[in-house]
Amino acid sequence: MEILAFGVQADEKPLIERAFAGHGDLRCLDVFLTADTAPIAAGHETVSTSVNADLGAEVLEILAAGGTRMVAQRSTGFNNIDLATAERLGITVARVSYYSPYSVAEFAWTLAMAVNRRVVRASTRTRDFDFRLDGLMGRDMHGRTAGVLGTGKIGEAFARIAHGFGMNLLGWDVAENPACVGLGMRYVAKDELLAESDLVTLHVPLLPETQHLIDAAALKSMRNDAILVNSSRGGLVDTAALVGELRAGRFTGVGLDVYEAEAGLFFLDKSLEAIADDTLARLVTFPNVLVTSHQAYYTQDAVGQIVDATVRNVLDYRAGRRSENVLVPRA
């Protein structure tokens, strides 16, 4: 069986090639799956995609016409996939339902501490041999309150680190996590969490009901000196409303590893192009904002687990097996 993998990063390629060795002919592409690139998959029964792939109805129709019968997405999120169309076309779809929660939780903390302690500004200064401390004052996390929106595996890992800092913990989710309660977390309504937290972090999936979970009203309810971190999905935050609050001088810091219009931008080199996205262009100019390119998951441990799970998904498809990773079963 020939497998075509779209959106393979340079660091990821040796891992995915090694994992698929002996399980078929693998072809890796650094281009992402879109309507323009989908015809490349013609003749490949199995296609593997990255988190920012376009798997809407148009792309799925092109894949199906070219003979693709299985899509193995190398991510947990699947808001980019038209599952109803995939089912209609008889395309099996699988994702990676679990990988190291520590990769994302630790990076969320990296963003939080970087904006709190002005690390980027300090590093830029010292490169110019400017060793002043003006404007670099941060705050202790000890004794302050962390609000965790979404307390699944990643949210729990974040809460454990916060507990190690000696922080008070507030949580919001559809169900309480006993492990978080054991850390002293108190579950409250979203509005109360936002109003009382010094640090707000997002760890919920992007669903229709969570789109712009942090909207204009939610942002206004947060403390003026709060820190906001989003390492989950860009669509959870109304970015235009966030820019408005930042222009008003609010928030100690904002750390974003995701952006709601990141498709077509993130994972690509756009350094020689004019960025047409005025919201993103404005966002990165704020001195208290740190934007990274959806790299929270990007550790050897997590990517290795993602690749291994993807191989298992492909082998399960061949054998007619169904696992918890299957979103659309084999017809």
Side-chain angles (χ1 to χ4, degrees):
M1 178 183 291
E2 292 187 349
I3 304 127
L4 183 62
F6 284 93
V8 178
Q9 304 295 314
D11 296 333
E12 179 188 15
K13 187 176 181 180
L15 296 176
I16 196 169
E17 288 179 336
R18 184 162 57 247
F20 271 102
H23 298 302
D25 295 327
L26 174 71
R27 180 184 175 196
C28 293
L29 301 178
D30 59 1
V31 298
F32 296 95
L33 179 61
T34 65
D36 292 332
T37 60
I40 302 173
H44 294 84
E45 182 178 351
T46 302
V47 166
S48 179
T49 58
S50 58
V51 64
N52 276 342
D54 177 357
L55 284 161
E58 180 185 2
V59 171
L60 289 171
E61 292 278 4
I62 297 171
L63 292 178
T68 297
R69 293 294 175 263
M70 195 268 179
V71 171
Q73 176 139 297
R74 303 188 306 280
S75 73
T76 298
F78 54 91
N79 54 284
N80 60 318
I81 308 174
D82 187 332
L83 298 179
T85 298
E87 184 174 11
R88 174 175 61 81
L89 295 171
I91 296 178
T92 300
V93 179
R95 60 156 179 167
V96 177
S97 59
Y98 175 85
Y99 61 85
S100 169
Y102 310 108
S103 60
V104 179
E106 290 171 4
F107 194 81
W109 266 108
T110 300
L111 292 175
M113 294 307 294
V115 296
N116 176 41
R117 301 306 301 268
R118 324 294 190 197
V119 172
V120 175
R121 182 185 299 178
S123 176
T124 301
R125 282 186 185 179
T126 54
R127 284 177 179 272
D128 293 330
F129 298 98
D130 179 352
F131 300 105
R132 294 172 300 158
L133 298 181
D134 296 345
L136 301 183
M137 184 176 288
R139 297 181 295 176
D140 289 0
M141 289 290 102
H142 178 83
R144 287 189 160 80
T145 299
V148 185
L149 292 162
T151 57
K153 293 181 176 65
I154 297 173
E156 178 189 332
F158 186 95
R160 290 188 181 280
I161 298 171
H163 180 70
F165 273 107
M167 300 186 75
N168 305 310
L169 295 172
L170 296 179
W172 176 85
D173 210 328
V174 293
E176 295 186 3
N177 182 335
C180 291
V181 174
L183 295 172
M185 177 177 285
R186 181 166 60 92
Y187 280 83
V188 296
K190 185 184 76 171
D191 290 345
E192 182 178 349
L193 181 150
L194 295 175
E196 293 187 10
S197 297
D198 299 288
L199 166 61
V200 174
T201 183
L202 308 180
H203 301 291
V204 300
L206 180 59
L207 304 168
E209 54 268 32
T210 60
Q211 177 75 27
H212 286 180
L213 180 70
I214 304 299
D215 57 12
L219 290 164
K220 289 186 181 301
S221 70
M222 292 175 61
R223 295 182 175 183
N224 286 333
D225 61 352
I227 292 171
L228 173 64
V229 174
N230 185 13
S231 57
S232 185
R233 286 293 183 268
L236 298 175
V237 176
D238 183 339
T239 316
L242 175 60
V243 168
E245 296 301 306
L246 290 165
R247 289 182 63 184
R250 301 191 64 224
F251 305 135
T252 288
V254 174
L256 303 175
D257 185 51
V258 287
Y259 174 61
E260 59 182 324
E262 69 182 54
L265 290 172
F266 282 21
F267 305 140
L268 299 171
D269 181 2
K270 297 289 184 176
S271 60
L272 299 179
E273 301 178 25
I275 298 300
D277 188 328
D278 291 339
T279 302
L280 178 60
R282 183 69 181 92
L283 187 65
V284 298
T285 65
F286 292 103
N288 58 334
V289 174
L290 176 56
V291 178
T292 52
S293 54
H294 206 141
Q295 69 183 80
Y297 79 99
Y298 206 53
T299 66
Q300 291 181 356
D301 310 82
V303 173
Q305 291 167 10
I306 289 169
V307 168
D308 289 344
T310 301
V311 173
R312 289 196 301 272
N313 289 341
V314 172
L315 296 180
D316 285 346
Y317 162 76
R318 292 184 192 174
R321 295 187 296 263
R322 182 173 179 177
S323 73
E324 71 280 1
N325 289 341
V326 175
L327 299 171
V328 177
R330 185 169 185 172

